[in-house]
Amino acid sequence: MFNFDEVIDRSQTDSTKWRKLRDQYNEPDLLPMWVADMDFKVAEPISNALEKRANHGIFGYVYPHESFYLTFIDWVQKRHGWKIEKDWILVLPGVISGLNLSARVLAKEGENMILQSPVYPPFYRVIQNNHRNVIDNPLVLNDGKYEIDFDDLENKIDSKTKALLFCSPHNPVGRVWKKDELIKLSRICLQHQIIMVSDEIHSDLIYPDNTHIPLASLSHEIAQQTVTLMAPSKTFNIAGLATSVAIIPDAELRKKYQQEMVEMAISSHSTFGTLAFETAYSQGEEWLEELLCYLNKNKKRVAEFLEEELRDVHVIDAEGTYLLWLDFRKLEKSHDQIRQSLIHHGKVALNSGLDFGQQGACFFRMNIACPRSTLEEGLSRIKKAVLYLKEKKKDEK
Ligand SMILES: Cc1ncc(COP(=O)(O)O)c(C=O)c1O
């Protein structure tokens, strides 16, 4: 049994979740429920392995052992039913590095890359920073569920379109894509020779009755046109240890990524990152299973709270990830009014939906990977912010 109820003070560590908040808003006592990391201690085998390694005292350059790869290959086979080979795996400092590499390798300046908004903000940045064009194929919200607009996708592809940055599971809307959706999407991309970059960083965080299917596991043909990005960072709460992988079955494409990695000087690895990566995948499964139960209860609690106490806020049902997409549109207030009220009246920091694209107006993303008591505190702060706005509305009448 792991104690996910334990509240651990992170405010005095250099945690982005806390420190950046203090720098950004001049507002004491803000409760951070934004950045996508968890307020839980890692599985004990991970901290034990890091402590042992720290005691060795020498931290020179690292060349991962065969077992680093084999452990990951076993994990992907066991958890996702996808058989991958060691040669296909490139070790990267982060999934964003993989997205950035993809922009540089797959398209030239002035060429087009597709994303599906609302989506994790770095998807826009890697395209724009490299002077490629963002082509948005917005998801559509049908009966409370986000879906891919395949007609729009086909219409937006032209001879300048080279790649699709696909988020699977999707951050922030929490979709775990179904097989038929993946097949339809890849059929279009194959037909137009568009390389699919499948960001599967959240693939181990799946709620009951949903199954993550790695896009590249669907067929040999799809695998040859797909770059899959995976990492233990979200799953095991080790994002600060900066170790991720790209899985690229096509040898020619892989070579291009390798060359670009050398040019960008991102080929060396972290001593602690590679160790935590291997330890997490080899000894972290039991911890993960308990974490998933805890997160599922947190998710249900949010839905129950909103249903019982805050009917003006609606939560999109997440099929995966510990990020919830909250819909405040019913309040009929501007995005900025809601944001100001959350920060200055509720004193709770959620991610602004507009950072994920225009479709995120009046939406906010909430991180529920925290002890239940923190979750309750966060919910009551959201309620306070909403009640303030509603009172204001009455005053205005
Ligand atoms: C979809 C997605 N991709 C990538 C990242 C970040 O990856 P990394 O920290 O490995 O660069 C995140 C973090 O929240 C994410 O949600």
Side-chain angles (χ1 to χ4, degrees):
M1 276 293 285
F2 303 96
N3 185 10
F4 294 106
D5 283 327
E6 186 186 359
V7 177
I8 301 164
D9 180 14
R10 301 180 67 192
S11 64
Q12 302 310 310
T13 64
D14 284 343
S15 140
T16 305
K17 204 180 212 167
W18 288 87
R19 188 178 285 283
K20 202 170 168 192
L21 205 62
R22 281 199 297 261
D23 287 354
Q24 206 158 310
Y25 306 101
N26 191 18
E27 188 63 76
D29 305 328
L30 261 182
L31 180 68
M33 303 191 90
W34 64 315
V35 172
D37 63 22
M38 304 197 263
D39 293 336
F40 306 127
K41 258 190 201 165
V42 298
E44 225 174 278
I46 301 176
S47 32
N48 289 344
L50 295 177
E51 202 178 317
K52 192 168 161 216
R53 184 66 186 81
N55 286 335
H56 181 260
I58 300 177
F59 311 108
Y61 291 112
V62 180
Y63 188 76
H65 192 269
E66 179 85 0
S67 58
F68 171 91
Y69 296 95
L70 297 182
T71 305
F72 178 64
I73 291 168
D74 282 351
W75 179 269
V76 175
Q77 168 80 65
K78 186 176 172 201
R79 303 283 304 186
H80 304 301
W82 183 26
K83 197 169 170 348
I84 58 173
E85 294 177 16
K86 183 188 164 201
D87 287 351
W88 300 354
I89 303 170
L90 303 181
V91 185
L92 296 169
V95 165
I96 300 177
S97 309
L99 295 168
N100 192 47
L101 275 170
S102 301
R104 297 165 76 103
V105 169
L106 303 177
K108 297 193 191 75
E109 281 197 21
E111 288 184 331
N112 301 346
M113 299 181 74
I114 302 174
L115 52 69
Q116 295 167 316
S117 73
V119 75
Y120 180 56
F123 275 47
Y124 296 89
R125 285 202 289 272
V126 298
I127 301 174
Q128 287 161 343
N129 290 346
N130 288 296
H131 311 287
R132 278 66 172 161
N133 304 321
V134 171
I135 303 297
D136 189 8
N137 166 224
L139 299 176
V140 283
L141 188 52
N142 284 331
D143 288 335
K145 190 170 174 164
Y146 280 90
E147 289 173 344
I148 296 170
D149 185 340
F150 294 103
D151 291 336
D152 179 71
L153 176 63
E154 287 222 82
N155 287 337
K156 288 196 172 143
I157 294 174
D158 64 17
S159 58
K160 275 185 12 183
T161 315
K162 302 297 168 186
L164 164 78
L165 299 185
F166 184 53
C167 199
S168 174
H170 191 95
N171 170 9
V173 308
R175 276 302 314 278
V176 173
W177 304 109
K178 302 274 179 284
K179 192 173 178 181
D180 61 322
E181 294 173 299
L182 296 173
I183 287 178
K184 229 168 152 176
L185 181 87
S186 50
R187 199 172 283 152
I188 295 170
C189 292
L190 288 180
Q191 193 188 339
H192 296 278
Q193 280 110 44
I194 287 170
I195 304 288
M196 295 160 278
V197 180
S198 191
D199 177 342
E200 303 189 11
I201 196 169
H202 295 281
S203 56
D204 293 310
L205 298 163
I206 307 295
Y207 294 112
D209 303 326
N210 294 283
T211 307
H212 172 75
I213 304 170
L215 179 63
S217 70
L218 287 174
S219 74
H220 173 76
E221 221 187 349
I222 295 170
Q224 292 304 104
Q225 222 170 283
T226 302
V227 172
T228 306
L229 303 171
M230 285 185 168
S233 47
K234 301 287 146 193
T235 318
F236 295 104
N237 207 22
I238 51 176
L241 296 174
T243 304
S244 308
V245 290
I247 306 157
I248 312 177
D250 182 79
E252 223 171 288
L253 187 57
R254 195 167 60 241
K255 207 165 149 203
K256 289 186 192 161
Y257 272 70
Q258 279 166 319
Q259 278 165 355
E260 192 65 38
M261 282 171 70
V262 172
E263 278 177 35
M264 290 171 67
I266 53 165
S267 308
S268 62
H269 315 308
S270 149
T271 306
F272 290 106
T274 48
L275 178 61
F277 179 110
E278 184 176 338
T279 312
Y281 285 131
S282 57
Q283 297 176 60
E285 194 168 24
E286 201 190 331
W287 179 92
L288 174 61
E289 288 302 339
E290 282 196 30
L291 169 79
L292 290 172
C293 292
Y294 197 90
L295 292 177
N296 195 30
K297 286 186 189 147
N298 275 3
K299 183 183 88 142
K300 286 186 173 160
R301 174 63 191 139
V302 173
E304 178 192 270
F305 182 91
L306 298 181
E307 175 73 23
E308 287 172 2
E309 304 203 30
L310 208 52
R311 298 200 121 200
D312 298 293
V313 182
H314 171 71
V315 60
I316 302 294
D317 185 35
E319 296 167 341
T321 84
Y322 51 71
L323 307 164
L324 298 185
W325 191 231
L326 302 181
D327 180 354
F328 289 75
R329 288 176 301 173
K330 232 175 153 183
L331 274 175
E332 294 180 347
K333 290 282 177 184
S334 73
H335 186 84
D336 199 51
Q337 281 172 314
I338 302 166
R339 203 176 66 89
Q340 296 290 343
S341 191
L342 286 166
I343 295 291
H344 300 296
H345 296 285
K347 296 192 191 296
V348 57
L350 309 179
N351 289 85
S352 162
L354 281 177
D355 291 345
F356 299 79
Q358 283 307 312
Q359 280 199 82
C362 298
F363 283 82
F364 288 80
R365 193 191 74 175
M366 180 187 192
N367 180 343
I368 58 162
C370 57
R372 195 81 24 85
S373 56
T374 310
L375 185 82
E376 293 293 345
E377 178 62 29
L379 288 169
S380 68
R381 289 178 184 224
I382 293 172
K383 182 174 169 183
K384 199 170 162 203
V386 169
L387 292 184
Y388 173 82
L389 282 172
K390 289 179 75 170
E391 284 304 312
K392 227 173 131 206
K393 200 164 168 180
K394 267 193 237 155
D395 292 347
E396 282 162 9
K397 278 181 185 162

